[in-house]
Amino acid sequence: MGEQEISQQGESAKKQRRFMQRLLNDLALLEKWIDDGLIESGIRRIGAEQEFFLVDSSWQPVNRAMQILERIGDPRFTTELAQFNLEANLDPVVFEGNCLSRMEAQLSELIERLHDVAQKEGALPLLTGILPTLQASHLELDHMTPMPRYRALNSALLKLSGGPQRIHIKGTDELIAAHNSVMLEACNTSFQLHFQVAAEEFASLYNIAQLVTAPLLAASCNSPLLFGKRLWSETRIALFQQAVDTRSSELHLREMRPRVNFGNSWIKNSVLEIFREDVARFRVLLALPNEEEGEPSDVGQPPQLRALRLHNGTIYRWNRPCYGISDGKAHLRIENRVLPSGPTPLDEMANAAFFFGLMCGISSRYDDVTPLIEFPEVKANFVAAARLGLRAQFKWIDGETKPAKELIGQQLLPMAHAGLIARKIDRKDADRFLEVVDRRVAS
């Protein structure tokens, strides 16, 4: 969800300069902590964020998020952009033993708890990447969650784009539309995975995450419909990029990068490469109310880096670097954002096992995947997966181009399974979850 105590940026040049200085200070502080070896290492944790639609008995979106949150009284649940969306944050677990089944049990418990409370408000939680019954009328501002962050974000994005958000997606059908708010983003719900990494291994593992995103997505697509149109196999990808695109037509001609992006190159050494690029490339949208406040001066106290985290939350890389603090220790995570919500908790955990297994399996074989395939080919794989799903053709690290079903079934699922077993993940969990992906891809 991100910071809620925010103000809209751009109110004054002085305020913008202060926030930019805070951002640069945060970058310098993070660099120092990395150089001094103060980022947590030697442990791997996993986690997830689950987003929901709330629907009524006719499967229409229903604005009950605030009432449900008041009833549920559980800090793991939080708001999303629309009042017909909610999010639940799973507690992180150490990546070992029966962590996958424990994560599934926690996910199922959260869904069951939400279901029980939502029923009392005449609502039902639903897991799907895009709700097929959504109409443009559901995306007016009176459906937006009444919190300052969302209003400020909407105003800032519209100001930068200079007008309505324009959508053009072509699949079997074609959708051309314009909308006067950021609420198009509320069409999407996802199951976002978190994978904790050490600072010294961030670059190599982030590049692997980029490599495996295409086959992961191809095996997981479930959102082909929007406003009754048959579009991409995973329409969320195109819709999200266009829904928060702040580039004017002139900026498009200059090939500025959209705020939702896959990236344009491998990273070489550090997470700082991504953070620095994003600070340099993207205008600040939101600001903290007390930019003058510095970081704690206590030696060994992890810095909050609130400015950097807030700015990072308004740039939507499909694999996003994250800084956080847990149990008094600073850590880094890779957040994979491509997976749609649903259709069932078992499907979602199967997708998670596939991702985590590939991260382990490939990293155990290759210290560096960047010499094995050009980045533009990896990016092209990602777009092909979003457009075509399992009908895509992928260029792979062996130099061959293969159908997605063949690559996943014959090479990647066995590699993911071996990766999980090598990390001492329970074999019965590895077997059970990856079998779901195998059967889905085969059928």
Side-chain angles (χ1 to χ4, degrees):
M1 177 183 61
E3 292 275 357
Q4 291 299 329
E5 294 181 5
I6 53 84
S7 61
Q8 186 174 334
Q9 191 53 287
E11 294 174 0
S12 70
K14 182 178 179 181
K15 185 173 185 177
Q16 187 161 354
R17 286 195 299 271
R18 282 203 307 264
F19 188 79
M20 181 55 68
Q21 186 58 55
R22 179 83 179 268
L23 268 175
L24 296 175
N25 290 344
D26 280 1
L27 280 172
L29 194 52
L30 177 59
E31 181 176 20
K32 184 178 188 309
W33 271 65
I34 290 174
D35 289 345
D36 291 347
L38 298 176
I39 303 297
E40 187 175 25
S41 63
I43 188 169
R44 182 89 69 224
R45 295 186 184 89
I46 58 173
E49 301 170 47
Q50 173 70 70
E51 296 175 350
F52 304 90
F53 282 102
L54 300 171
V55 298
D56 62 18
S57 58
S58 300
W59 306 102
Q60 299 295 312
V62 59
N63 295 342
R64 291 290 186 272
M66 302 307 288
Q67 296 89 335
I68 290 171
L69 285 176
E70 185 175 353
R71 273 184 182 267
I72 205 164
D74 188 330
R76 293 175 295 177
F77 290 92
T78 187
T79 58
E80 266 296 327
L81 178 63
Q83 295 184 66
F84 51 77
N85 295 140
L86 274 177
E87 177 182 293
N89 295 286
L90 278 67
D91 298 323
V93 296
V94 177
F95 189 54
E96 62 183 13
N98 66 348
C99 63
L100 295 176
S101 55
R102 287 165 51 212
M103 190 171 168
E104 181 192 26
Q106 183 185 174
L107 177 60
S108 298
E109 183 264 325
L110 286 170
I111 294 172
E112 183 178 353
R113 178 167 171 74
L114 176 59
H115 185 276
D116 292 344
V117 174
Q119 276 191 317
K120 299 173 184 176
E121 291 290 340
L124 175 73
L126 189 66
L127 303 180
T128 182
I130 295 177
L131 182 64
T133 55
L134 270 177
Q135 301 295 326
S137 60
H138 297 127
L139 305 178
E140 298 301 322
L141 285 177
D142 56 353
H143 294 271
M144 181 179 284
T145 299
M147 300 187 76
R149 173 186 173 90
Y150 302 124
R151 293 283 177 172
L153 184 63
N154 181 67
S155 298
L157 287 169
L158 288 181
K159 183 177 180 180
L160 282 180
S161 62
Q165 303 301 107
R166 302 188 182 279
I167 303 297
H168 184 195
I169 308 172
K170 189 171 184 178
T172 302
D173 301 320
E174 186 173 15
L175 175 65
I176 301 174
H179 197 69
N180 60 355
S181 79
V182 73
M183 282 290 286
L184 280 165
E185 183 186 337
C187 295
N188 292 342
T189 61
S190 60
F191 185 62
Q192 298 162 15
L193 301 176
H194 290 258
F195 191 71
Q196 183 177 332
V197 300
E200 60 272 15
E201 63 182 357
F202 183 92
S204 62
L205 289 176
Y206 185 84
N207 289 333
I208 291 172
Q210 295 281 74
L211 173 69
V212 304
T213 288
L216 172 70
L217 179 60
S220 311
C221 293
N222 76 10
S223 308
L225 299 175
L226 177 62
F227 301 153
K229 303 285 189 179
R230 298 164 296 174
L231 303 171
W232 289 14
S233 291
E234 192 55 44
T235 303
R236 289 172 44 258
I237 304 303
L239 177 62
F240 191 29
Q241 177 166 319
Q242 297 181 39
V244 295
D245 196 348
T246 58
R247 301 174 297 173
S248 69
S249 58
E250 290 185 0
L251 295 180
H252 273 290
L253 293 175
R254 291 187 231 157
E255 298 184 345
M256 284 191 65
R257 191 173 301 172
R259 297 187 86 91
V260 179
N261 71 89
F262 187 75
N264 278 344
S265 62
W266 298 118
I267 66 169
K268 297 178 181 176
N269 299 303
S270 169
V271 66
L272 291 166
E273 296 170 41
I274 300 176
F275 286 139
R276 285 171 178 154
E277 179 180 346
D278 288 348
V279 169
R281 279 186 178 272
F282 297 108
R283 289 280 299 275
V284 168
L285 295 182
L286 304 174
L288 297 168
N290 299 308
E291 293 92 344
E292 299 85 0
E293 293 181 5
E295 291 288 350
S297 58
D298 296 346
V299 176
Q301 180 76 16
Q304 295 294 321
L305 305 186
R306 289 185 67 201
L308 182 61
R309 292 162 79 177
L310 178 61
H311 185 58
N312 189 49
T314 66
I315 298 157
Y316 308 95
R317 290 177 179 265
W318 290 109
N319 284 298
R320 181 158 67 182
C322 295
Y323 168 88
I325 300 172
S326 159
D327 297 328
K329 296 180 180 179
H331 68 262
L332 295 172
R333 306 185 308 278
I334 298 168
E335 178 190 15
N336 182 282
R337 301 169 50 80
V338 305
L339 293 173
S341 179
T344 69
L346 176 58
D347 281 298
E348 292 181 323
M349 285 307 305
N351 297 338
F354 189 32
F355 175 66
F356 297 141
L358 284 176
M359 293 294 293
C360 298
I362 292 180
S363 62
S364 68
R365 294 193 188 189
Y366 306 102
D367 293 331
D368 181 9
V369 297
T370 63
L372 306 178
I373 184 171
E374 297 293 329
F375 188 84
E377 294 170 335
V378 174
K379 188 172 183 177
N381 287 346
F382 171 66
V383 176
R387 285 182 179 272
L388 302 171
L390 289 171
R391 292 179 290 118
Q393 300 275 332
F394 294 146
K395 182 71 175 291
W396 200 240
I397 55 178
D398 55 10
E400 296 185 16
T401 298
K402 300 177 181 178
K405 294 181 70 168
E406 177 183 324
L407 177 66
I408 294 168
Q410 296 181 10
Q411 288 183 237
L412 299 187
L413 279 168
M415 187 181 293
H417 190 276
L420 293 176
I421 298 305
R423 287 288 306 191
K424 302 190 185 307
I425 302 302
D426 281 1
R427 181 177 292 274
K428 63 181 180 180
D429 282 354
D431 292 346
R432 175 171 171 256
F433 290 122
L434 293 182
E435 183 185 8
V436 172
V437 180
D438 189 24
R439 289 164 58 192
R440 186 196 303 156
V441 170
S443 64

